[in-house]
Amino acid sequence: MSMAKSISLLWGAGSPPCWRVMITLEEKKLQGYKRKLLSFGKGEHKSQEVLEINPRGQLPTFKHGENIVNESTAACLYLESQFRSQGNKLIPDTAAEQAMMYQRMMEGLTLTEKLNSVIYYEWFVPEDERHDTAVKRNREALKTELRLWEGYLEKVAAGSYLAGAFSLADVIVFPNIAYALRFGLSVERYPKLAKYYRLLKDRPSIKTSWPPHWLPSPQGYDTLKNL
């Protein structure tokens, strides 16, 4: 039995957390795992099938044999540690590169949070609780965050990844950047982020796991265009 057969993933298209796990599975040469696409729009992430594996009712839900890891970053770390000798190595060897990788990886989660607070404000916050001041504050916080990443990429060698070779830092961060651009982020204003996006978008693991409904057009919205 191939190792991939003991892996199952419930996922939602266009969700950066789901995408991270799928990129890692590709990088570790674990194609052929069991997967099922669920619809956020239809509320399928709150279905009994999901809640049995993930009581938070969130995607991804990830199982390897009897082991369940639903937090996307944890699932990526788990896959790298369980299948270390298979596919591409996603944690570098040197202490300096590891330090950089873990740091950027965890900061990638802050970027996710700040993107979500702008993009999903209207979904998450009931209408009578919405405030222009909160919208403005969230947008300013995201702008500061994006400038930080623009600065980080300024410091890495041209055409390079976040921590030396391609690593889990890129697995965690890239879906956020693709997401921001899909929501209209200005490539003129964030040229380093745009360059990083171009460097990675055709990598086989990323191309293969690209959100299917994004294929017709990479940019879907203009939520972030004035950021």
Side-chain angles (χ1 to χ4, degrees):
M1 178 172 119
S2 106
M3 284 188 280
K5 291 278 180 281
S6 58
I7 291 173
S8 66
L9 180 74
L10 301 177
W11 65 291
S15 145
C18 295
W19 197 1
R20 291 167 186 154
V21 179
M22 294 170 91
I23 293 170
T24 306
L25 285 160
E26 291 293 325
E27 290 285 339
K28 299 315 288 182
K29 302 281 176 269
L30 291 163
Q31 291 90 349
Y33 60 93
K34 296 195 283 285
R35 64 167 106 177
K36 184 175 181 185
L37 175 59
L38 299 180
S39 160
F40 288 113
K42 295 182 185 150
E44 289 175 350
H45 55 302
K46 301 293 182 191
S47 66
Q48 205 43 48
E49 180 181 18
V50 173
L51 290 168
E52 273 168 20
I53 309 169
N54 187 352
R56 290 180 182 274
Q58 294 171 338
L59 298 177
T61 68
F62 170 84
K63 263 182 105 169
H64 172 225
E66 292 307 306
N67 302 329
I68 294 172
V69 193
N70 295 319
E71 286 299 323
S72 62
T73 310
C76 296
L77 282 164
Y78 173 86
L79 282 164
E80 175 59 23
S81 103
Q82 291 304 306
F83 300 98
R84 193 170 288 134
S85 56
Q86 184 173 318
N88 295 319
K89 190 170 69 177
L90 297 175
I91 295 180
D93 289 329
T94 71
E97 286 182 335
Q98 277 189 23
M100 178 66 87
M101 185 212 77
Y102 284 118
Q103 178 60 32
R104 294 289 177 262
M105 206 178 154
M106 296 310 173
E107 281 186 279
L109 304 180
T110 305
L111 175 56
T112 307
E113 198 185 302
K114 300 211 165 152
L115 275 166
N116 287 350
S117 67
V118 171
I119 291 169
Y120 293 132
Y121 185 76
E122 289 176 11
W123 296 6
F124 289 156
V125 182
E127 204 166 344
D128 56 353
E129 290 172 27
R130 287 180 211 156
H131 295 289
D132 290 347
T133 49
V135 171
K136 201 170 165 206
R137 192 170 58 244
N138 291 344
R139 289 178 73 87
E140 283 307 316
L142 177 56
K143 202 184 287 185
T144 303
E145 182 71 20
L146 288 164
R147 287 204 190 111
L148 204 54
W149 287 94
E150 190 73 10
Y152 292 160
L153 288 163
E154 192 86 56
K155 292 184 181 73
V156 300
S160 176
Y161 304 104
L162 286 167
F166 183 86
S167 72
L168 284 177
D170 302 291
V171 171
I172 301 301
V173 172
F174 176 82
N176 287 332
I177 305 303
Y179 202 62
L181 289 168
R182 178 159 174 81
F183 278 86
L185 190 73
S186 159
V187 294
E188 288 78 27
R189 215 165 294 142
Y190 299 95
K192 292 280 183 283
L193 286 173
K195 190 174 179 182
Y196 176 73
Y197 170 81
R198 289 194 300 273
L199 169 72
L200 280 166
K201 71 179 173 55
D202 294 321
R203 188 177 175 88
S205 64
I206 286 172
K207 216 172 172 171
T208 308
S209 57
W210 201 263
H213 67 297
W214 289 15
L215 290 169
S217 79
Q219 198 199 318
Y221 308 92
D222 58 8
T223 320
L224 306 178
K225 81 166 189 284
N226 297 321
L227 214 61

